[in-house]
Amino acid sequence: MIYRLLALNVDGTVLQSNGRIHKSTKEAIAYVQQKGVYVTLVTSRSFPSARKVAKALKINSYLITHQGAYISSEQGEAILTRRIPEEITYELVRFLEGFPCQIRIVHDEFSLANKYKLNHNLLAKTVFTTGDPLFYSQQFVDSISETLTDDPISAPKIEVYFEFEEDLVDARDALSSMFSEVNMTKLNDFRLDILPQGVSKLNGMISLGEHLGVALKEMVTIGDGIDDIDMIRACGLGVAMGNAEVEVKMAADWVTRTNNQNGVAYMVKEHFRKQQPIEFLRKMNIIKK
């Protein structure tokens, strides 16, 4: 099979545990791009944050962000924008404010969160991953619902960080029965992401593929999270990181090394070294587009 697109998750995949990108990962991406393979990021991060990672990797492509709710080029040319309606965003926030949790509305250009401080350290790894504060405003308020009353927001994504595991389960079950306009992804025992109905990383991949003229079977995707499972199953080659959870590895066609063992670079070398450059394959009429 000839693969024309490589999609990479960010946290736990491209980034090591220390938040850095290893030199071998940058080299591997440059190598596969030289072969004419389209490289993109597919992430739950905001667009400004993903753009920052893409710049470090020298990727100049459409990026699938907000878990598939927002796809745009670095120049701001969006090909997909999905949002939760303003009134539903408000009602979701009002309901969630009844739980001990931090609520974050993650917009394309800013984030809005309440000032709730969690007693566990889950947020220590996540609060500062949204991007450069010079270009991405992060506002903290006492009450999000009061703020929304004066200034309504249509949110691409709402992140909720719970104090207690049981509250996440209760909130998810209740919201599922109350709102058909959204779907939810449990990223771990304490974090719940709320997205517009129909939004997922897989659907983001499908939308980007349609825009570029690349079929799912011609795509390789690498990830480590629960929200990566659908795209790992659906793409031509689905790869799980060595640090991924068991369910992710079971869904994958191939398991590479961990993010701290340069798993992306290892996978690229193993699977793309034998593939001829895309332009050469076009000249030989092996691929048409």
Side-chain angles (χ1 to χ4, degrees), residues 128-197:
F128 300 108
T129 62
T130 48
D132 191 330
L134 289 174
F135 303 101
Y136 190 75
S137 170
Q138 301 181 58
Q139 183 181 0
F140 293 87
V141 296
D142 292 320
S143 170
I144 296 180
S145 60
E146 289 182 11
T147 303
L148 294 181
T149 300
D150 298 328
D151 190 10
I153 295 173
S154 181
K157 183 175 72 162
I158 302 173
E159 298 175 357
V160 193
Y161 301 86
F162 288 90
E163 187 74 69
F164 306 107
E165 297 178 44
E166 56 269 25
D167 284 346
L168 183 152
V169 175
D170 291 344
R172 181 187 60 185
D173 292 347
L175 291 173
S176 295
S177 63
M178 294 164 61
F179 298 98
S180 61
E181 297 88 351
V182 298
N183 65 278
M184 284 159 284
T185 301
K186 177 184 174 184
L187 281 123
N188 56 49
D189 289 337
F190 299 97
R191 176 175 167 181
L192 187 69
D193 280 10
I194 304 174
L195 301 159
Q197 185 57 250

Side-chain angles (χ1 to χ4, degrees), residues 46-89:
S46 68
F47 179 75
S49 178
R51 182 172 54 192
K52 189 175 180 180
V53 176
K55 185 175 181 180
L57 292 168
K58 297 184 178 178
I59 295 172
N60 184 17
S61 64
Y62 288 99
L63 305 177
I64 303 170
T65 63
H66 295 294
Q67 221 160 303
Y70 187 70
I71 304 174
S72 178
S73 67
E74 186 179 355
Q75 294 74 30
E77 180 193 348
I79 60 172
L80 178 70
T81 303
R82 296 286 304 280
R83 303 187 193 280
I84 303 169
E86 290 179 355
E87 64 275 14
I88 302 299
T89 299

